[in-house]
Amino acid sequence: MEILIATANAGKAREFREMLGDQQHAWKDLSAFPKGEEVAETGSTFRANACIKASAYARRHAMWALADDSGLEVDALGGKPGIVSARWAQIHQAGAGDAANNALLLKQLNNVPDAQRGARFVCVLALADPQGRIILTARGDVEGEILREPRGTNGFGYDPLFRVKSMGIAMAELDAARKHAISHRGSALKRLGTLLERVGGVGA
Amino acid sequence: MEILIATANAGKAREFREMLGDQQHAWKDLSAFPKGEEVAETGSTFRANACIKASAYARRHAMWALADDSGLEVDALGGKPGIVSARWAQIHQAGAGDAANNALLLKQLNNVPDAQRGARFVCVLALADPQGRIILTARGDVEGEILREPRGTNGFGYDPLFRVKSMGIAMAELDAARKHAISHRGSALKRLGTLLERVGGVGA
């Protein structure tokens, strides 16, 4: 079946294409359509926002749509930035974009000792049918710690500041294949893929 | 696979049992377990609350769990009572329970003309895996109008005040089998059932 990858985030779109390369379904992305109104992420959780985006784009384009909501939960910040990870610096009027977000996070954790720098990347994927009535969701996460300075140049977002616990190196030091094998988005997609294979032609 | 029906609402539990009677899965309900802490419904939509309940009960009892969030959306009340349908009278300090909810709704719509009494029952079902990582959701709805006085004695909740548009009689005038064939919960369950059949043994 044909599935729309419903993300305007270039980093996420690239990862989806990399991870989905060998799948049996036909994937379209938003670039195939005229730019529509942005979908308001009014939910208070990753899952709620992923569902809102998936069902809105599915209805808009009358096809199955896959959306992602993901972010970084930092223990020392009580789980923030969480669902506002991409806008963290903006919210604090400290610029915008990956570099500003990373700089702000480093500053916020400046006095936090090594033992208390735990964090995790979380991703929830939602796949909605063309009517937005059926939604499959899958969650993935990866545990780590926030470094004291950026390391590596791969990936996007907070990847340079995130030391993967099980590997001892920064997410941004992993090449795409190694990142996808352990990342939150990779895990969620594997779970959803298993579901999807079994569900097959529903609604198609 | 074994699935927990995660509802403390006696009316919903009965309907699930009636509708699921001939399914291939083994269904347990909450009465099989010691009464645990209630799960806080902190979401702002039916879907968010259904997911919160399904994943909380799935993790608590380490098994697949099915939860429901449903309610009545009344056009003349801007879509209320919606997610607070079961507590509508309570919220307005006008008693508690089905009779009080129905009495309050009648009062609120007292001056609303026939042409503006449109409403719908909405149900979102969520089925979560034992880790709460994978969730399947399905939505069902049924269109109708709010009557000026209760009719029928079947069902529960707002059923006596809800005239089913496609049939011209109140939901509470339908016997169980006829209600399930057209109801919001019946539609959602049929959609989820199709998915479930195909997903089969995932996580089992």
Side-chain angles (χ1 to χ4, degrees):
Chain A
M1 75 197 184
E2 203 174 49
I3 301 176
L4 174 66
I5 301 175
T7 179
N9 180 314
K12 290 182 185 178
R14 191 180 61 239
E15 294 204 343
F16 279 123
R17 280 195 300 272
E18 288 165 359
M19 294 190 285
L20 294 167
D22 56 346
Q23 304 271 327
Q24 55 173 335
H25 302 284
W27 301 90
K28 271 196 177 178
D29 64 43
L30 287 176
S31 66
F33 300 95
K35 201 169 148 62
E37 211 179 313
E38 215 167 292
V39 174
E41 302 183 20
T42 53
S44 56
T45 61
F46 295 118
R47 193 169 49 217
N49 282 330
C51 287
I52 288 167
K53 288 184 276 188
S55 59
Y57 283 107
R59 284 194 302 261
R60 184 182 293 177
H61 300 296
M63 61 190 295
W64 283 79
L66 176 69
D68 159 294
D69 204 55
S70 49
L72 180 68
E73 293 180 346
V74 178
D75 293 340
L77 300 177
K80 299 271 174 198
I83 58 168
V84 293
S85 291
R87 288 172 285 134
W88 192 231
Q90 238 175 316
I91 288 168
H92 289 81
Q93 280 144 356
D98 288 352
N101 288 334
N102 279 294
L104 175 60
L105 181 61
L106 276 182
K107 199 174 137 197
Q108 290 171 319
L109 297 195
N110 195 28
N111 295 320
V112 176
D114 287 354
Q116 290 164 33
R117 300 177 72 91
R120 72 205 51 77
F121 274 124
V122 178
C123 171
V124 177
L125 295 178
L127 179 70
D129 81 314
Q131 286 84 39
R133 282 174 170 160
I134 291 176
I135 306 184
L136 284 63
T137 64
R139 181 188 175 95
D141 43 44
V142 54
E143 292 289 329
E145 294 107 30
I146 304 303
L147 292 162
R148 295 196 172 269
E149 52 188 30
R151 278 167 53 179
T153 54
N154 298 321
F156 66 100
Y158 297 93
D159 285 354
L161 289 184
F162 188 85
R163 186 177 164 278
V164 181
K165 202 171 180 175
S166 62
M167 307 182 85
I169 59 175
M171 195 76 111
E173 294 179 287
L174 297 171
D175 61 32
R178 289 174 75 205
K179 176 179 176 183
H180 303 334
I182 57 95
S183 79
H184 52 312
R185 192 164 293 108
S187 305
L189 201 61
K190 249 169 273 163
R191 290 201 177 98
L192 193 72
T194 309
L195 265 179
L196 201 54
E197 268 173 45
R198 293 170 185 255
V199 174
V202 164
Chain B
M1 76 196 182
E2 203 175 49
I3 301 176
L4 174 67
I5 301 175
T7 179
N9 180 313
K12 291 183 186 177
R14 190 180 62 239
E15 294 205 342
F16 279 123
R17 279 194 302 271
E18 288 165 359
M19 292 190 285
L20 294 168
D22 57 346
Q23 304 272 327
Q24 54 173 335
H25 301 283
W27 301 90
K28 272 196 176 177
D29 65 42
L30 287 176
S31 66
F33 299 96
K35 201 169 147 63
E37 212 179 313
E38 215 167 291
V39 174
E41 301 183 19
T42 53
S44 56
T45 61
F46 295 119
R47 192 170 49 216
N49 282 331
C51 287
I52 288 167
K53 288 184 275 189
S55 60
Y57 283 107
R59 283 195 302 261
R60 183 183 293 177
H61 299 297
M63 61 190 296
W64 284 79
L66 177 69
D68 158 294
D69 204 55
S70 49
L72 180 68
E73 294 179 345
V74 177
D75 294 341
L77 300 177
K80 300 268 173 199
I83 58 167
V84 294
S85 292
R87 289 171 284 134
W88 192 232
Q90 239 175 315
I91 287 168
H92 290 80
Q93 280 143 357
D98 288 352
N101 288 334
N102 280 294
L104 175 60
L105 181 62
L106 275 182
K107 200 174 137 197
Q108 290 172 319
L109 298 195
N110 196 28
N111 296 320
V112 175
D114 287 355
Q116 291 163 32
R117 299 177 72 91
R120 73 206 49 78
F121 274 124
V122 178
C123 171
V124 177
L125 295 178
L127 179 69
D129 82 315
Q131 285 84 41
R133 283 173 170 160
I134 292 173
I135 306 183
L136 284 65
T137 67
R139 182 188 174 95
D141 42 46
V142 56
E143 293 288 329
E145 294 108 29
I146 303 304
L147 293 162
R148 294 195 172 272
E149 52 188 29
R151 279 168 51 180
T153 54
N154 298 323
F156 66 101
Y158 297 92
D159 285 354
L161 289 184
F162 188 86
R163 187 177 164 279
V164 180
K165 201 170 182 176
S166 63
M167 307 182 85
I169 60 175
M171 194 76 110
E173 292 178 287
L174 297 171
D175 61 31
R178 288 173 75 207
K179 175 179 176 183
H180 303 334
I182 58 97
S183 79
H184 52 313
R185 193 164 292 109
S187 306
L189 201 61
K190 249 170 272 162
R191 289 200 177 101
L192 193 72
T194 309
L195 264 180
L196 201 53
E197 265 173 46
R198 292 171 186 254
V199 174
V202 164

